[in-house]
Every structure is written in structure tokens, then in C-alpha cells.
Amino acid sequence: MSQIASNLYARRALANKAQAEGLASDPHVAAALQVARDKVLSDALLAKIDKDSAPSDAVAEGQARNIYKAKPDRFQAPEQVQVRHILIAGTDGGARAQAEKVLEELKAGADFAQLAKERSADTGSGAKGGDLGLFARGRMVPEFDEAAFALKQPGDLSGIVETKFGFHILKLDARRPAGLRPYEEVREELIKEVRGKLQQDARVAEAEKVQQGLTINNEAIEAFAATHKAAP
């Protein structure tokens, strides 16, 4: 924190010195200062517009539900499965032997989630007990995909599945048939969409309002650009 304060003080002191030496009168510096000022103030106005146009929770919820009901095709999902897996890295005989040992432990009643945390080379899913969440066909490598969708009942275990990543053991947690995704699953996404659209509409309306009657002097713009072309 002290370093930040020190940097801010140095920056302010340098700016004051530049002001005292008349650098603010330099046309290029003056133009840059105007651009910086415009950005700060316009950003502040946009933040105010966003705040003022933000819908209440009830309005956002109502509009989100309306979108969900009006456009059901948008929320159709293919058949999905939710599986856990344990990955033993490597493609040699030793790695397969380790995978077979893990499978034996699981068949004997070992807790899948615990073994995933302890043994899986996929540490990302391993930290979640091997859970990969819901996914549709085509999301995984072919061998894994085929094994996952071959499982029928929650709790079913696969055999040893070999992929380019190593040896996997899969457990089915759930199957979801193709159909409409539940509203609760898409609710947050839709509410974010509603809020974003209302705020964007408010920004556009304000921009159109301030630009009414605006006339652009193209000749002046071209002349300005010509004087600021980079030297060859």
C-alpha cells in the first residue's frame, strides 16, 4: 500500500512540474488531456446509465421466464450423461496393472470419489471426486465417449478404457434424455442476458440522443489526419 501511495505522489508531483513548465499548452498534450478527460467522464456516465437502467430482480426474473417460454427450441439439449472417472496415466503394462487394481478395489466396494481424489492423474476432476459433469456425445475422445454412453444405470462401472491419456475407469452418476433444459439450469444465464440487453439498449438510446443534429466535417478530419501521418 505504501508503494502505491508513493507512486501516486510521484505521478502527481511530475504532473505539477509539467504544468508549471507549460507543457499543458502543447497542442499534442492538450489533445491527449482532452481525450483522457472525455474517457473518464464518458465511462462515469456509462456506469450511471447501467445503474439507472438495471432492472429489479422481479423484472429480470419475469423477462427471463418469458424468454424461456417463448423460445423453447433455444434450450433443447441432446442426450447427456454425467460420469466420474479415474485416470491412470501412461500406456504401458504397469499403468494398466495399476488401473486393474483400482477397478478391483471399486468392485470390492471402495468409494469411487475417494479413490479419484487419491489416485486419479486428472487432478482437476479428481479434486471433485472424478466428476466430469453432464456432457453430450462428441465432447470426449471417442473411446471415452463410447464407454460413457454404454453405461446404463447410475452406479454402473466401466471396464478399463484406454485412450491417448492413459487408462480410465468410469462410473455413471446420471443420464439425461434429450429434451428441454430445466429453467433453473439456464436461469442465471437468462437473467444476465436480460440485464445486459436492457443496459445496452439504454446506452444506445443515450448515444443516439447526444448525436442528434451532429454534423461531421469530413474535410477537417482528413486534414487533421494528414498532419498527423507517421513519417515514412
Side-chain angles (χ1 to χ4, degrees):
M1 185 62 71
S2 60
Q3 183 61 52
I4 294 174
S6 177
N7 290 343
L8 288 173
Y9 176 80
R11 177 73 69 176
R12 177 64 60 84
L14 289 170
N16 288 338
K17 190 172 189 301
Q19 179 80 34
E21 293 184 6
L23 293 179
S25 300
D26 180 281
H28 294 286
V29 175
L33 286 171
Q34 183 63 52
V35 169
R37 179 180 183 277
D38 290 347
K39 183 179 186 308
V40 170
L41 288 174
S42 62
D43 285 351
L45 179 60
L46 290 174
K48 181 178 184 299
I49 291 170
D50 288 348
K51 181 179 179 181
D52 292 345
S53 62
S56 67
D57 291 345
V59 168
E61 181 78 37
Q63 292 195 22
R65 287 187 179 277
N66 288 341
I67 294 172
Y68 182 77
K69 292 175 183 176
K71 301 178 180 179
D73 289 349
R74 178 180 163 187
F75 306 104
Q76 294 293 328
E79 179 187 22
Q80 295 175 292
V81 292
Q82 181 175 358
V83 301
R84 297 175 184 271
H85 86 133
I86 296 172
L87 170 64
I88 304 300
T91 55
D92 58 12
R96 176 177 281 277
Q98 290 182 51
E100 289 174 346
K101 183 175 185 303
V102 171
L103 182 57
E104 289 176 5
E105 292 180 47
L106 292 168
K107 287 181 177 179
D111 181 80
F112 195 102
Q114 188 60 39
L115 283 186
K117 290 177 183 178
E118 295 172 355
R119 314 269 186 90
S120 183
D122 179 1
T123 55
S125 68
K128 299 180 288 186
D131 187 14
L132 294 172
L134 283 163
F135 59 89
R137 291 182 187 273
R139 283 277 307 280
M140 305 297 182
V141 293
E143 305 89 344
F144 193 101
D145 221 34
E146 182 179 352
F149 280 88
L151 299 171
K152 300 302 180 185
Q153 299 296 326
D156 283 355
L157 290 173
S158 71
I160 304 298
V161 179
E162 183 176 1
T163 73
K164 63 183 179 181
F165 301 107
F167 298 98
H168 309 255
I169 303 164
L170 285 62
K171 178 184 177 183
L172 180 67
D173 271 2
R175 295 187 74 98
R176 178 183 289 180
L180 188 66
R181 294 168 68 191
Y183 172 73
E184 287 305 319
E185 186 176 298
V186 298
R187 176 178 177 274
E188 290 302 319
E189 169 191 335
L190 284 175
I191 287 177
K192 182 179 179 181
E193 178 183 314
V194 166
R195 293 184 185 279
K197 185 177 186 309
L198 289 173
Q199 290 173 338
Q200 183 60 29
D201 288 349
R203 287 186 174 201
V204 170
E206 184 65 25
E208 290 175 347
K209 184 171 26 174
V210 299
Q211 290 180 44
Q212 286 178 358
L214 175 68
T215 301
I216 297 177
N217 189 331
N218 290 315
E219 290 183 2
I221 292 174
E222 290 172 3
F224 177 83
T227 61
H228 288 78
K229 283 183 178 177

